Amino acid sequence: MTRATPFAGDPRITPDLVREHNLSPEEYRRIEAMLDRAPTFAELGVFSALWSEHCAYKHSKPVLRTLPTTGPQVVQGPGENAGVLRLPGGWAVAFKIESHNHPSAVEPYQGAATGVGGILRDVFTMGARPVALLNSLRFGPLDDARNRYLFAGVVRGVADYGNCVGVPTLGGEVDFGPSYSGNPLVNAMCVGLLKEVDLIKAAAHGVGNVLLVVGARTGRDGIHGASFASEELTRESARRRPQVQVGDPFTEKLLLEASLELIASGHIVAIQDMGAAGLTSSSAEMAAKGGGGVGVEIDLARVPIREPGMTPYEILLSESQERMLLVAKADRVQDVQAIAAKWELSATPIGRVTDDGLYRATWGEQVVVEIPAQRLIDDCPVYHPEAAEDPEIARRRASRPTPNTKHLAPDEVLLELLDHPPVASKRWVYEQYDSTVRASTVIGPGGDAGVIRVRDADFALAVTVDCNSRYVLLDPYEGGKAAVAEAARNVACTGARPLGVTDCLNFGSPERPAVFHQFREASRGIADACRALETPVTGGNVSFYNESPEGAVDPTPVVGMVGLIAHAERAVPSHARVTGDVVFVLGETRSELGGSMLWEALHGFVGGEPPRVDLAAERRLVDFLVAGAAVGLFRSAHDCSQGGLGVALAEVAMGGPYEEPGFGLDVDFTAYALRLAAVELLFSESHGRAVVTCPPERGGAVAALAQELGVPAHRAGTVRERGGSLRIRLGDGEVSHRIGRLRDVYFSAIPRRMGD
């Protein structure tokens, strides 16, 4: 093996330099043993990036292996740029969710925008055309000016990038809580469509085949982005602003079209996004995935750069956006360049596939990196951290809020909840997104799940993202189950059969036993729920070290789910639509106020036992919602979650954001859940529940199907006139509000706090 030599001007490798690269002394000794020498500065950068938590999953791999990842619908599971599920008619869906938390904390606009760009590339490198974007966002309370700044910047970054590329944003979620003040969470999800036969992967193969860089030139932005994402945020983190990438959505659009044409052309054998760790990760992972002695050799002096004097180290580790690495057949390089030129992009040969099993980078004739390709990826250390629950969490789980002097009647509580930012309408967010571009949207943001029609086919896809971090904080196992169960309910409410999951697991430092306990138990809950609902995990992202000087974020394992609606015209919206329809409440309501919006909004308290998830009951409810929608039983269906039945009924009545004036509802609960007090009945957050409306003549069929499938169904009331009132009769009183009043509170809560 040729020994790599330092590049002119490289610093000497010292313990301090190793520490600056987030490598432990033990990891550095492991590197020296692998190379049988000290690494060059460029090699140190390569190991720092690829052995970072963000790239290597060195604390999470053993836990991730416990997730169910197979099933008859799985075409591609974890390990590629995106997971792929089988659809009817030879179609397939590629989808994935990833985090861009740390960049968004120091530069919210570009951090969020480049998060969208990265997840788009993950999907179209599979050969899939992106058809939908979603996002899951978390911020600190909006009474703080910095949180408002981060919120506004992130939303604008997400909107501008997706809108410019021309992919509709179909849904998402936004939540607020004190733990996110120092460390907002920005998770982006993309869904794409392809024909299964057109699937392409990222494994380099074919000795002598040529590696080409396609797209934007390489600059100094984003250097050490992967390692930055693998450390805690501090008060000095704002200085890392130069490590945040800068996005160009117009170049991304050209790269998307060029990549799909190149994949279809047959000129290339592999393609890989230059995401985290840039050229380093894309080229090294391509070599490792090739297996069997495959190596790559790249000449860094050939890489197109946009800043003079860039060194091999900088070129390898830059995370400049809108770049792709592909492997072309040796005799097709000019064909590849012609297609790239058609889309106003350059395609520059920088290397070749070899058969010596080495990952080699040169600067002209000088070798600056030479590492065994397979070992670089496979020999990264794997850790098994200690896990133990924080006693403070156990104490909170056993506690209840202290009664305060603010005693509100149920009708006043409902208004308080609708005005609470985690519950209130997120219209202020999604009205900044283009949700209808490409004209395939069936149901846009503001309901249970987004729905998009598959062109040239009869079916549609429902997509959603979900997580209730309060439940996960109080009981990680139940919270993990709940994230999957709610995602499945949301998808099923549209009439879609849940197919599969991608997850973005956001936690604090895995080196703290309390955090690793949360991660392990939440993952166990996700795994059990996915098995019960037959929704395998096809990939995703683990984001650790979401900590600031104020502490770790609440554990937030976000679940993205895709479901299939057999006939697009049968998609079911969330809101009441016709006067005279019958209202059914499905599922069982129990006294479960732990972790509830009621306790948080009224008492500022997050504690108690969160609601338990009965996976068998969830499966029955999903089956009922899907079966009923398939035969046209429902006029609307809406999941019951945060804020309980009170909020769910109000949302059904208020209608969508642009559907004024909504419909009145007359609901009678005098004979329902008699053991519960009015506040428990209305605001308990028991799982496994939904509200459906149906034509009066279909009420008997709804009740019969519910009985057949073992789903409790209470015929609760009737849809009344447009713009009427929500009236809920209780055993000891009544809740009554004009729909206009509810809409004013619900839709103005966030704009009012943002000064709009």
Side-chain angles (χ1 to χ4, degrees), residues 304-325:
I305 58 175
R306 66 168 184 258
E307 299 183 49
M310 290 188 69
T311 65
Y313 177 96
E314 292 173 324
I315 292 169
L316 279 166
L317 296 180
S318 166
E319 293 185 12
S320 294
Q321 294 291 285
E322 293 86 38
R323 298 179 302 158
M324 205 69 73
L325 184 67

Side-chain angles (χ1 to χ4, degrees), residues 660-724:
E660 293 190 53
F663 285 86
L665 291 186
D666 192 347
V667 174
D668 187 349
F669 281 154
T670 56
Y672 177 72
L674 296 176
R675 300 184 306 278
L676 302 183
V679 167
E680 293 175 316
L681 189 157
L682 289 177
F683 306 116
S684 168
E685 296 184 5
S686 299
H687 294 296
R689 295 182 298 163
V691 176
V692 299
T693 65
C694 69
E697 65 273 14
R698 309 306 295 271
V702 169
L705 181 63
Q707 184 173 21
E708 176 188 342
L709 296 178
V711 175
H714 174 70
R715 187 164 178 156
T718 307
V719 178
R720 294 302 188 190
E721 71 282 359
R722 281 186 174 274

Side-chain angles (χ1 to χ4, degrees), residues 397-613:
R397 193 165 55 243
S399 62
R400 296 176 63 84
T402 302
N404 57 31
T405 57
K406 186 179 181 181
H407 179 73
L408 299 178
D411 58 341
E412 297 170 303
V413 172
L414 179 59
L415 292 178
E416 291 270 334
L417 288 176
L418 295 179
D419 188 55
H420 191 44
V423 175
S425 170
K426 308 308 184 295
R427 182 176 65 182
W428 183 89
V429 175
Y430 57 73
E431 70 183 0
Q432 299 183 50
Y433 306 152
D434 190 335
S435 61
T436 60
V437 64
R438 300 188 63 82
S440 294
T441 301
V442 178
I443 297 176
D448 286 68
V451 176
I452 192 160
R453 179 181 291 103
V454 178
R455 292 185 179 183
D456 305 317
D458 187 37
F459 60 88
L461 296 177
V463 290
T464 191
V465 290
D466 281 292
C467 179
N468 187 317
S469 60
R470 298 161 188 83
Y471 298 163
V472 187
L473 175 70
L474 296 170
D475 188 326
Y477 175 69
E478 288 295 330
K481 287 164 58 181
V484 177
E486 184 175 352
R489 289 196 304 272
N490 281 333
V491 164
C493 277
T494 69
R497 169 68 62 187
L499 289 181
V501 159
T502 177
D503 54 27
C504 194
L505 309 177
N506 305 274
F507 291 82
S509 169
E511 298 164 47
R512 295 203 293 119
V515 170
F516 199 74
H517 167 82
Q518 293 171 334
F519 170 72
R520 187 189 66 189
E521 290 301 291
S523 298
R524 184 168 68 92
I526 289 171
D528 284 354
C530 285
R531 289 189 189 95
L533 297 170
E534 298 182 28
T535 53
V537 179
T538 64
N541 173 227
V542 177
S543 177
F544 280 139
Y545 299 101
N546 289 292
E547 303 211 8
S548 68
E550 288 71 40
V553 299
D554 288 348
T556 312
V558 175
V559 169
M561 187 173 284
V562 172
L564 174 67
I565 303 176
H567 301 286
E569 71 277 4
R570 292 287 171 87
V572 180
S574 300
H575 313 295
R577 294 191 291 165
V578 176
T579 298
D581 278 358
V582 176
V583 179
F584 279 90
V585 172
L586 308 172
E588 183 181 351
T589 301
R590 298 173 293 275
S591 178
E592 294 181 297
L593 293 174
S596 67
M597 281 292 105
L598 176 77
W599 283 0
E600 180 186 278
L602 267 64
H603 305 286
F605 176 81
V606 177
E609 289 269 2
R612 288 287 183 261
V613 181

Side-chain angles (χ1 to χ4, degrees), residues 15-94:
D16 284 346
L17 190 64
V18 171
R19 190 161 47 249
E20 286 175 18
H21 283 72
N22 283 348
L23 291 165
S24 70
E26 294 77 14
E27 289 170 340
Y28 182 72
R29 285 192 288 271
R30 191 171 183 143
I31 293 167
E32 287 186 313
M34 181 188 300
L35 300 176
D36 196 27
R37 58 177 169 81
T40 65
F41 182 50
E43 287 172 330
L44 186 70
V46 167
F47 279 106
S48 170
L50 293 183
W51 285 15
S52 69
E53 186 65 43
H54 190 74
C55 289
Y57 296 93
K58 56 192 178 183
H59 288 90
S60 58
K61 274 181 181 175
V63 173
L64 297 179
R65 291 191 183 109
T66 66
L67 297 172
T69 59
T70 59
Q73 70 271 48
V74 177
V75 178
Q76 175 64 56
E80 278 289 339
N81 288 299
V84 180
L85 297 175
R86 185 169 289 113
L87 298 173
W91 288 94
V93 57

